[in-house]
Amino acid sequence: QVQVVESGGGLVRPGTSLRLSCVASGNIRSIHFMGWYRQAPGKERELVGRVASGGNTYYGDHAKGRFTVSRDNGGNRATLQMTRLKPEDTAMYYCNVGATTTQNRLGDYWGQGTQVTVSP
């Protein structure tokens, strides 16, 4: 069993920055990637960014140049640093972890989400 918990969401003004955190815990043998998705009301869930075990990062077009995803030295914590936030960044942000458990089961695990609202 793998648990994923996000934190750091909130209400912020346009143009400001916000950092989200994610922690994975449980029976983890290895983590293959950690990343972030978001979903706004009435829209599909979309990739924000993720970091693979080798350190390569991938971003959605809306995040390039403004958001940075990182992971702590290959550990079980990831952050999403968001800058120059816009009202259209308002969404529920979810942490997504790809991991193999100590029972050698490969899985895709999600947190409950943290709300980010960007409003004047």
Side-chain angles (χ1 to χ4, degrees):
Q1 191 76 5
V2 176
Q3 295 80 42
V4 179
V5 179
E6 307 97 336
S7 61
L11 172 63
V12 296
R13 296 188 183 279
T16 61
S17 300
L18 191 66
R19 176 178 290 183
L20 306 183
S21 297
C22 170
V23 178
S25 62
N27 301 324
I28 299 172
R29 180 182 299 278
S30 60
I31 291 177
H32 310 296
F33 64 84
M34 297 185 76
W36 296 88
Y37 284 74
R38 71 183 188 183
Q39 188 167 21
K43 295 187 177 181
E44 294 187 354
R45 190 172 294 190
E46 62 179 354
L47 173 70
V48 178
R50 72 178 192 179
V51 51
S53 57
N56 289 335
T57 54
Y58 308 90
Y59 293 94
D61 287 342
H62 61 86
K64 293 177 181 177
R66 296 190 301 131
F67 296 178
T68 303
V69 60
S70 61
R71 183 180 163 195
D72 61 331
N73 295 321
N76 65 336
R77 297 176 180 270
T79 62
L80 175 65
Q81 180 67 49
M82 302 184 289
T83 65
R84 291 180 281 136
L85 283 161
K86 305 174 183 179
E88 50 263 44
D89 294 317
T90 295
M92 186 71 78
Y93 284 70
Y94 297 92
C95 184
N96 174 228
V97 177
T100 297
T101 68
T102 52
Q103 291 76 40
N104 288 323
R105 292 180 179 178
L106 176 64
D108 199 18
Y109 301 94
W110 294 85
Q112 293 298 308
T114 186
Q115 177 68 37
V116 173
T117 302
V118 184
S119 180

